[in-house]
Amino acid sequence: MSTTPLADLGPIAQAPCRPVAPPPRPGLYAGLWLYGVSLALMVLGAIGLAPWDVLHSGVTEHVPISLGQAVIVFSFVVLLLWIPLREKPGLGTVSNALVVGIAADATLAMFDAPASMLARIPLMVGGIVLCGFATALYIGAQPGRGPRDGLMTGLARRTGLSIRLVRTGIEITVVLIGLALGGTLGLGTVAYALTIGPIAQWMMPWFLVDLAPAPGVAPDRSLNCPAEPA
C-alpha cells in the first residue's frame, strides 16, 4: 500500500513539479468524467441521489437550471469555504468545477431511466462504486482537488480526522440542507453517504502518485517537491 501523502500545493507550486508515475492528466480527466457519469447513474437509478445531488436537485426545484448546471454553480460556491481552510486551488479544482457537471448532463441526455427495479438497483450500486473509484483516480493524480473534495481533504488535514469520517459527515450535512430545499432522499442516498468515504479511502493508495521536480528544476523544499528518486 502506498504511503505517499496528499501534496498541499497550489497552482504556482505545482508548476515546477511533475508526477514520478503515472502521468496525472489522464487520471485527472478520466476521474472527473467518470465522477459525473456516476452521479448520472444514480439519477437514472431513481432510488435516491448522491448527497450533494439531493442539494442540487433541491435547488433545481426553485431555479430553472439542470442538475449539471447546479453542480457547476455550487462548485464555485463551495470554493468560498476553502478560504478559512487555506486550501490551495489547482488545475484539478477548476477542471472539477466544470467537467463533472458537463459529464452528468451529457450522460443523462443519452439514456432514459429504466422502469424495472432490477435494472435500477445495479445503476445505484454501480454509481456509488464508480464515484469512489473516480474520486480516488482524480485526487490521486494530485493536480489539485475539486471544490467538494478540497473541502473534505482540507477539513481532514486541519482536524486530523480520517477522510472516511470527514467525508461521511459532509455528506450527511448536505443531505439535511437538500431536504430542507425539497430535494429527494432515498435508499441510494443513505448507502452513498455511508459507503463513499470508505470506498474512496480504500482505493486512494492505488492511484496516489509521487511528485518530483520537473526535468531541469532543482529540488526545492519551499516548493514541497521531493528530490528525484535515484
Side-chain angles (χ1 to χ4, degrees):
M1 179 177 293
S2 172
T3 58
T4 303
L6 285 172
D8 189 16
L9 301 178
I12 295 177
Q14 288 175 16
C17 301
R18 68 174 180 82
V20 175
R25 301 305 181 256
L28 166 63
Y29 290 107
L32 291 178
W33 191 266
L34 290 176
Y35 198 113
V37 172
S38 74
L39 300 185
L41 290 180
M42 293 197 68
V43 173
L44 295 171
I47 309 178
L49 300 178
W52 277 100
D53 288 326
V54 175
L55 174 60
H56 300 147
S57 66
V59 170
T60 61
E61 292 292 322
H62 305 280
V63 182
I65 58 177
S66 68
L67 180 69
Q69 290 168 342
V71 170
I72 293 172
V73 169
F74 267 89
S75 292
F76 289 99
V77 172
V78 170
L79 284 175
L80 296 177
L81 300 177
W82 282 34
I83 297 174
L85 296 174
R86 299 180 181 178
E87 278 289 285
K88 302 177 178 69
L91 175 65
T93 309
V94 178
S95 298
N96 181 291
L98 298 173
V99 174
V100 172
I102 294 172
D105 275 353
T107 304
L108 290 172
M110 293 172 60
F111 302 99
D112 295 323
S116 170
M117 180 64 71
L118 291 178
R120 287 159 53 196
I121 290 177
L123 285 174
M124 179 199 74
V125 176
I128 294 173
V129 175
L130 181 61
C131 189
F133 174 84
T135 299
L137 184 59
Y138 86 81
I139 290 181
Q142 302 222 64
R145 270 78 72 192
R148 295 161 187 78
D149 289 302
L151 178 63
M152 172 187 71
T153 57
L155 286 172
R157 181 179 291 114
R158 301 303 171 185
T159 63
L161 300 175
S162 70
I163 286 179
R164 175 176 58 235
L165 182 60
V166 170
R167 180 66 179 256
T168 301
I170 291 174
E171 306 291 7
I172 292 174
T173 300
V174 168
V175 165
L176 294 177
I177 297 174
L179 284 175
L181 292 174
T184 304
L185 176 68
L187 177 62
T189 310
V190 177
Y192 185 104
L194 295 177
T195 62
I196 190 63
I199 292 173
Q201 183 162 299
W202 172 49
M203 293 184 175
M204 191 77 70
W206 302 356
F207 305 106
L208 198 57
V209 299
D210 292 308
L211 295 177
V217 176
D220 186 341
R221 291 182 180 274
S222 67
L223 295 177
N224 202 26
C225 285
E228 184 76 39

